[in-house]
Amino acid sequence: MKPILMSSIKNQDKTTDTRLIGEEPMEYTQPKEIGAEGEELVHIDASFEPLIPKFLTNRKKEVVTMQAALAAQDYETVRTVAHGMKGAGGSYGFDRITDMAAVVEQAAKTGDASTIERDLPALGSYLDRVKVVYE
Amino acid sequence: MNTTVLVVEDEQDTAELLKQLLEREGFSVLHAGDGRQARTLIDTIRPPSLVLLDMVIPYVSGFELLRVIRRHPDWQLTPIIMLSADDYEPDIQQALREGATAYVTKQKGSAGLLQAVKRVLPATPPQDQIVAQAGSAAPPTRRVSVQHRLRGNQRKKRAA
């Protein structure tokens, strides 16, 4: 068995592509899907439905935590919370959360307060308007 | 066969997702919420069939736990899938060099993880069989083959 790198890309048909170590990394992007009322839609496996409300509530709390940490110039807290959010978002399939948390994490590493100030409200706004479609 | 997976993950929502995902597939799940809990389990229970090991966890890092497991007389042959929110290439290479069976980025979601689990487990004899053979002079043949191929793969990469 070769070591496996599951660094893969959701394609249009939502399958996953497995790459082995040594191949070139590929970009990952999740296209926005907008609902009838302008909300952003995320498709989630229906079996995870009981977990989603708590997941979203905890992410909103984390935004508040990061805002407080930013006000105290506690970049390490911002970084660690954003790092956790980045992983949790990906695990659940909320790739926009992952993308935005990654930007905040990177900004916290360099003490870039202006980027964090700009992106945390955007992250909070996304959490408020995202709509989950269970399938 | 009741296959047990140890999930070492500090982020509670992610841990719950992994637990539900794996139990849905018929696995029994043990959870350690930080490095200390994981070390305690390693020292006190029989090895599971698989360890899902987050790279960044409190108290004892994922890399340290990886080394602990690979040095442990009973656990050293246990397959380990490293989980990370990052796809930082040096970390991936270090994890594989130090004995991780696979590396999965969390950004790839539950489907990607499940795919890795299914790729790793079918080729691995149940851990109770491995432990049963541990007293014999020869290590389990299948795992030797895995290690050999892993090293071979690393050699090819270095040569390329």
Side-chain angles (χ1 to χ4, degrees):
Chain A
M1 181 191 306
K2 293 179 181 178
I4 303 166
L5 171 63
M6 300 291 291
S7 169
S8 53
I9 305 95
K10 277 187 185 170
N11 298 321
Q12 294 293 334
D13 61 357
K14 297 182 179 172
T15 56
T16 330
D17 173 36
T18 303
R19 294 186 297 119
L20 299 179
I21 292 291
E23 296 181 10
E24 289 299 313
M26 296 175 67
E27 290 298 320
Y28 174 81
T29 56
Q30 182 184 43
K32 280 186 188 176
E33 184 178 351
I34 307 299
E37 297 175 4
E39 71 276 34
E40 290 197 33
L41 305 182
V42 173
H43 296 264
I44 301 291
D45 185 321
S47 66
F48 299 135
E49 183 172 359
L51 303 177
I52 299 302
K54 181 162 162 263
F55 168 83
L56 290 172
T57 298
N58 285 339
R59 302 296 78 78
K60 290 173 185 175
K61 287 178 182 173
E62 287 177 342
V63 170
V64 173
T65 299
M66 286 190 283
Q67 285 170 329
L70 178 64
Q73 295 187 310
D74 179 0
Y75 293 107
E76 179 59 14
T77 294
V78 175
R79 186 193 66 76
T80 54
V81 173
H83 179 84
M85 188 185 286
K86 183 173 77 172
S91 298
Y92 275 78
F94 289 84
D95 299 321
R96 291 263 293 149
I97 292 177
T98 293
D99 291 344
M100 288 189 274
V103 172
V104 172
E105 180 191 19
Q106 189 57 38
K109 284 180 183 174
T110 58
D112 178 0
S114 61
T115 295
I116 301 170
E117 284 168 356
R118 181 196 68 202
D119 282 28
L120 278 184
L123 182 51
S125 171
Y126 175 78
L127 290 169
D128 286 336
R129 70 177 186 275
V130 68
K131 182 175 181 186
V132 180
V133 179
Y134 298 103
E135 53 190 23
Chain B
M1 181 181 68
N2 185 11
T3 304
T4 301
V5 178
L6 171 61
V7 174
V8 185
E9 169 64 63
D10 63 316
E11 205 290 306
Q12 192 60 37
D13 290 324
T14 303
E16 288 180 20
L17 178 83
L18 296 177
K19 185 171 187 294
Q20 179 157 330
L21 177 73
L22 293 165
E23 288 180 344
R24 191 182 69 185
E25 296 295 318
F27 300 107
S28 296
V29 177
L30 291 170
H31 174 231
D34 60 47
R36 285 179 191 158
Q37 287 182 15
R39 282 218 64 160
T40 300
L41 287 174
I42 292 165
D43 289 336
T44 53
I45 66 170
R46 290 168 58 82
S49 297
L50 173 68
V51 178
L52 297 184
L53 178 55
D54 189 15
M55 294 265 289
V56 181
I57 47 175
Y59 306 125
V60 183
S61 75
F63 276 127
E64 287 177 74
L65 279 178
L66 175 61
R67 291 179 206 116
V68 166
I69 292 172
R70 286 294 173 248
R71 285 196 299 259
H72 192 285
D74 294 334
W75 285 58
Q76 59 183 316
L77 302 178
T78 305
I80 300 172
I81 297 178
M82 298 294 283
L83 300 174
S84 177
D86 296 313
D87 57 359
Y88 184 55
E89 190 66 22
D91 280 351
I92 295 172
Q93 293 301 330
Q94 183 181 349
L96 296 173
R97 197 168 51 244
E98 296 198 15
T101 313
Y103 185 105
V104 178
T105 57
K106 292 179 179 177
Q107 284 88 331
K108 307 317 163 194
S110 54
L113 174 65
L114 201 55
Q115 201 175 347
V117 169
K118 289 179 176 177
R119 285 188 65 165
V120 167
L121 277 180
T124 308
Q127 281 298 294
D128 53 354
Q129 291 180 23
I130 290 176
V131 171
Q133 295 175 50
S136 64
T141 305
R142 192 179 300 187
R143 182 60 193 186
V144 168
S145 174
V146 169
Q147 288 177 327
H148 175 76
R149 275 182 278 175
L150 194 153
R151 287 193 204 103
N153 192 50
Q154 295 294 330
R155 279 196 297 271
K156 284 177 195 168
K157 280 190 62 63
R158 280 195 292 272

